[in-house]
Amino acid sequence: MNIKEVILGLATLITSVASFWLWFRTIPQIISGEFVNVDIAIFPLVLLGLSAALFSLAVIFIRGSYIAYALALLSIVIPYFFLSAASAVIISMGVAMLLVFSASYRIRTEYMLSLGFHLTKILKSGLPVYLTAASLVISTLFFASLNEDKALSVLLPRSAFQTALPAILNYIIRPTGDALEFSPNATVQEVLSVVIKDQLQKQGIPLARISQKELNSAISLQIAELEKSYGLKLTGKESTSDVFYGLVNNQILTLVGPYRKYLPHVSALTFFFAFKVITIPLYYIVIAVLMVLIKILVAFKILKSEIVEMRVERLTL
């Protein structure tokens, strides 16, 4: 290995480990923030793109095959040492190693057999496999940060529920006609007050005839009915979205019963497929960045163009 290959190898390894370590630190924040604060994932995503670009360069330009493969495998294995040795983690590591080896083999084989240097052709079969391996690693980091309750909050984000609840309440109360206005932060007492007034108006009873004392009494009766029906303890000052969110969570946990232990697995699998979608535009961004980067490296004579003779083994009759 010459000095340029050593620098490229070290840069690839350091960037890859730093990228996954940053995801390891960021994922608990993403889970607790219920994916609302997208900004915290931008820098880890950028670093992941950089590590994919350096991985591609290392696999292409490091001449020693064993060194290139070892470097690729090491860069994907080290992040698993951030986690405890569970069976799911070990299986994930094995699959990730196979994916990275496959990605490296595809890229190197395409580069070796290419009559010219066509970056998109060289990377088109290998780079997506590497990004799949990276998605698997990050999904495993995500899985390791979950418990049953956190897994359910990921599958049913509180923020999405708070956004949808006013529309749901409006539809339930007035499925046709003008919708009522509810705030996502409206309390149980406020919502019941609006519902009761609306029902009284539908029955032709003027609101002027209903005193505040009678309205409060009706609200108290409705709260008592809710407590009896759903086993709640309410004062009326709770946020309606929080109460409904808790009810829905409890109903789901009751419904899944003994299978609730698999909620983290389902959540992690959902995260994996969602992250894979993100890597699709990332692939094209990495290709574009590499095209520019290679031109710069050639301009500064870090990379050089030379004519080589290639001997190819073929089967013939």
Side-chain angles (χ1 to χ4, degrees), residues 32-103:
S32 62
E34 300 170 347
F35 301 103
V36 173
N37 188 4
V38 181
D39 293 343
I40 62 175
I42 291 178
F43 184 62
L45 197 59
V46 170
L47 202 57
L48 177 63
L50 180 60
S51 68
L54 289 174
F55 164 82
S56 302
L57 292 177
V59 171
I60 292 172
F61 293 115
I62 291 179
R63 296 181 185 181
S65 296
Y66 291 113
I67 295 173
Y69 288 133
L71 179 69
L73 292 173
L74 195 59
S75 67
I76 210 74
V77 166
I78 289 177
Y80 284 97
F81 288 95
F82 303 155
L83 308 174
S84 301
S87 57
V89 173
I90 294 172
I91 292 170
S92 173
M93 183 176 70
V95 175
M97 290 174 67
L98 288 174
L99 288 172
V100 166
F101 179 81
S102 173

Side-chain angles (χ1 to χ4, degrees), residues 271-317:
F271 181 87
F272 170 77
F273 286 117
F275 200 88
K276 270 292 295 172
V277 173
I278 295 174
T279 62
I280 294 173
L282 186 63
Y283 165 79
Y284 292 103
I285 292 171
V286 170
I287 291 288
V289 169
L290 278 174
M291 285 180 174
V292 175
L293 183 59
I294 287 173
K295 287 185 179 297
I296 293 172
L297 293 175
V298 170
F300 282 92
K301 297 183 178 180
I302 296 173
L303 291 176
K304 58 184 179 180
S305 178
E306 60 181 26
I307 299 174
V308 296
E309 291 184 3
M310 183 171 63
R311 299 180 65 184
V312 180
E313 181 181 348
R314 299 185 188 275
L315 293 175
T316 60
L317 286 175

Side-chain angles (χ1 to χ4, degrees), residues 194-262:
V194 173
V195 171
I196 291 170
K197 287 179 181 179
D198 185 65
Q199 292 299 318
L200 290 173
Q201 284 182 320
K202 287 180 178 179
Q203 295 172 20
I205 302 174
L207 293 181
R209 291 176 52 187
I210 306 299
S211 67
Q212 187 62 43
K213 183 178 180 180
E214 290 173 321
L215 182 61
N216 290 340
S217 178
I219 291 172
S220 297
L221 286 173
Q222 290 298 318
I223 289 176
E225 185 65 27
L226 287 172
E227 289 179 328
K228 181 181 178 180
S229 300
Y230 299 104
L232 301 172
K233 188 66 179 176
L234 300 173
T235 64
K237 296 181 179 180
E238 298 86 357
S239 167
T240 307
S241 59
D242 289 342
V243 173
F244 272 79
Y245 184 77
L247 277 174
V248 172
N249 274 5
N250 290 336
Q251 289 299 314
I252 292 175
L253 290 175
T254 302
L255 183 64
V256 298
Y259 300 104
R260 62 186 296 175
K261 64 182 180 180
Y262 297 111

Side-chain angles (χ1 to χ4, degrees), residues 31 76 105 111 154 202 280:
I31 293 173
I76 210 74
Y105 179 79
Y111 172 67
V154 171
K202 287 180 178 179
I280 294 173

Side-chain angles (χ1 to χ4, degrees), residues 176-205:
T176 59
D178 297 333
L180 299 172
E181 292 295 331
F182 287 107
S183 164
N185 298 319
T187 64
V188 172
Q189 190 170 1
E190 290 170 345
V191 171
L192 288 175
S193 175
V194 173
V195 171
I196 291 170
K197 287 179 181 179
D198 185 65
Q199 292 299 318
L200 290 173
Q201 284 182 320
K202 287 180 178 179
Q203 295 172 20
I205 302 174

